[in-house]
């Protein structure tokens, strides 16, 4: 069964998961970054203060994911979506309308938690849990919701800013999302609650990933891309300068990255179904590893393009591989809990990594040396994961 048959037979459920992924754009860094200056002005913060506050609310959102993310394992998905949407829109109200900076920051935190965190969690968990033989393809399709947001929203918002203020734009986007969600919430093919709330006296019976060695062995492999690509995005000016390129080339290469995610997602999803997540987990970082080698050895415009395109191919494939691997290791019935733990770990790491990278650059490290460090982390993460990938549970034995 291919993508066409999957869309024909399951378009309702896929539409829900896809819209959840697209709705996460409201809390993604690329969207908030478009309005960093006016948000900072409204909250009375300097650019540096906003960066610090943004890191803090992001870390708090990561802790909240650990607490609230697992509930999707026993709460009906429709109810989960209603609560998340209501909280997301409430966060937008606090951020755009509150006269006090502290409640404005609370709103920003809720937007980060429910946008980037819970909406992505909802989309990936639905696709990963409700599909079995076609799990990889389903995850590849719904992941394109984020790609649509990354590709469509920046130029659209930049164009609309000519006529509307940033707060009006946020509420226009909220209105569009509400119009899209209402028919799905009323008549969508929502699955039932997957299970019962666990007995607190027997919590040890469920998975506790942070206490499992195999989770820590697998974590570096799955965090390489989010950590390194965050560093490349944030320090784009320093990267292009040290590699002998320009920001104009970087902007074009960023578009190339977005385009590269599409074949990465579609081919990655197909190959996960055919070859299995374990084999793909050993191979999917190869394009990014080769890109790092090209950037280190060649540099220039070629190096920047290699990083963006190689990173895009790997990023497009990662979600279907990672979620399918979590299902293989911990079971679909516990996917919400394990995915929430992984998401929280990624939030923590992507919040801390830019600061560590900035310290290295301040101490005089060249960006080429930073790229060497990224390549070393990739190799180490790949090596650490091999024991888990070779285990009987991962191989389905």
């Amino acid at each position: 069964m291919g993508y066409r048959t999957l869309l024909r037979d399951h378009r309702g459920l896929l539409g829900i998961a896809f819209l959840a992924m697209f709705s996460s754009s409201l809390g993604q860094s690329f969207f908030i970054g478009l309005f960093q200056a006016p948000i900072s002005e409204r909250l009375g913060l300097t650019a540096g203060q906003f960066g610090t506050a943004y890191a803090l609310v992001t870390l708090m959102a990561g802790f909240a994911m650990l607490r609230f993310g697992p509930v999707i394992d026993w709460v009906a998905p429709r109810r989960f979506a209603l609560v998340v949407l209501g909280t997301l829109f409430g966060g937008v109200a606090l951020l755009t309308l509150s006269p006090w900076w502290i409640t404005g920051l609370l709103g920003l935190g809720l937007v980060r938690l429910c946008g980037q965190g819970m909406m992505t969690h909802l989309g990936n968990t639905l696709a990963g849990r409700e599909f079995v033989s076609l799990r990889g393809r389903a995850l590849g399709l719904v992941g394109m919701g984020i790609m649509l947001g990354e590709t469509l929203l920046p130029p659209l918002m930049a164009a609309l800013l000519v006529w509307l203020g940033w707060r009006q734009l946020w509420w226009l986007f909220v209105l569009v999302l509400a119009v899209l969600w209402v028919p799905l919430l009323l008549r969508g093919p929502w699955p039932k609650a997957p299970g019962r709330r666990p007995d607190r006296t027997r919590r040890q019976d469920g998975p506790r990933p942070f206490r499992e060695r195999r989770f820590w062995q697998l974590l570096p492999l799955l965090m390489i891309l989010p950590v390194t690509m965050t560093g490349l995005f944030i320090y784009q000016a320093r990267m292009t300068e040290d590699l002998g390129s320009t920001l104009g080339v970087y902007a074009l290469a960023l578009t190339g990255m977005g385009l590269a995610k599409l074949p990465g997602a579609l081919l990655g999803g197909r190959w996960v179904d055919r070859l299995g997540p374990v084999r793909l987990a050993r191979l999917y970082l190869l394009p990014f590893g080769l890109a790092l080698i090209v950037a280190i050895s060649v540099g220039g415009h070629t190096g920047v393009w290699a990083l963006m395109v190689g990173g895009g191919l790997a990023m497009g494939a990662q979600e279907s591989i990672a979620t399918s691997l979590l299902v293989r290791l911990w079971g679909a019935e516990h996917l919400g809990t394990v995915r929430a733990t992984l998401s929280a770990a990624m939030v923590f790491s992507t919040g801390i990594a830019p600061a560590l990278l900035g310290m290295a650059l301040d101490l005089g490290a060249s960006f080429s040396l930073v790229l060497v460090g990224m390549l070393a982390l990739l190799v180490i993460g790949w090596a650490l994961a091999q024991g888990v990938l070779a285990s009987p549970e991962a191989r389905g034995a």
Side-chain angles (χ1 to χ4, degrees), residues 96-344:
T96 58
L97 303 177
S98 174
W100 302 289
W101 68 269
I102 187 67
T103 49
L105 285 180
L106 174 61
L108 180 62
L110 292 175
V111 168
R112 289 287 285 159
L113 168 64
C114 295
Q116 184 199 36
M118 291 297 194
M119 274 296 164
T120 304
H121 187 50
L122 172 64
N124 279 319
T125 303
L126 279 179
R129 187 167 59 202
E130 301 302 324
F131 295 88
V132 180
S133 61
L134 299 174
R135 181 176 291 123
R137 288 178 173 87
L139 287 163
L141 283 174
V142 303
M144 292 169 62
I146 292 181
M147 300 176 207
L148 178 63
E150 292 174 339
T151 305
L152 175 66
L153 293 177
L156 180 60
M157 292 296 155
L160 291 176
L161 275 172
V162 176
W163 296 283
L164 300 173
W166 74 273
R167 285 181 289 184
Q168 287 77 20
L169 271 180
W170 276 64
W171 280 106
L172 177 62
F173 189 27
V174 165
L175 178 61
V176 170
L177 292 179
V179 170
L180 294 172
W181 272 108
V182 166
L184 288 177
L185 289 170
L186 292 177
R187 300 189 300 272
W190 292 87
K192 296 180 180 179
R196 295 182 178 180
R197 186 185 183 96
D199 187 345
R200 293 193 175 189
T201 63
R202 303 181 62 186
R203 288 185 68 90
Q204 65 273 16
D205 292 343
R208 308 187 78 171
F210 278 147
R211 298 191 179 186
E212 295 188 40
R213 181 179 177 182
R214 59 179 177 170
F215 181 80
W216 289 105
Q217 288 179 273
L218 193 62
L219 192 59
L221 177 75
L222 301 180
M223 290 200 307
I224 287 295
L225 276 176
V227 169
T228 55
M229 294 306 291
T230 298
L232 297 182
F233 294 153
I234 291 179
Y235 295 103
Q236 56 189 261
R238 180 66 181 273
M239 175 184 69
T240 53
E241 179 184 353
D242 284 8
L243 293 183
S245 186
T246 65
L247 287 174
V249 171
Y250 169 81
L252 291 174
L254 200 60
T255 302
M257 183 194 74
L259 295 174
K261 285 183 178 181
L262 178 60
L266 295 180
L267 292 175
R270 182 183 296 273
W271 290 340
V272 164
D273 291 336
R274 288 186 176 181
L275 305 176
V278 173
R279 188 175 299 178
L280 266 294
R282 291 193 172 105
L283 299 174
Y284 82 101
L285 287 177
L286 185 59
F288 188 55
L290 294 175
L292 286 169
I293 293 173
V294 170
I296 293 166
S297 58
V298 178
H301 303 332
T302 303
V304 172
W305 270 97
L307 288 172
M308 294 299 105
V309 174
L313 287 170
M315 289 170 68
Q318 170 154 316
E319 196 54 63
S320 58
I321 295 169
T323 301
S324 299
L325 193 58
L326 296 182
V327 172
R328 178 72 66 85
L329 290 169
W330 281 276
E333 67 275 15
H334 300 302
L335 180 58
T337 298
V338 183
R339 265 206 57 82
T341 308
L342 176 63
S343 298

Side-chain angles (χ1 to χ4, degrees), residues 228 296 368-378 380:
T228 55
I296 293 166
S368 294
L369 183 59
V370 168
L371 294 177
V372 171
M374 291 180 176
L375 181 60
L377 288 175
L378 189 154
I380 293 171

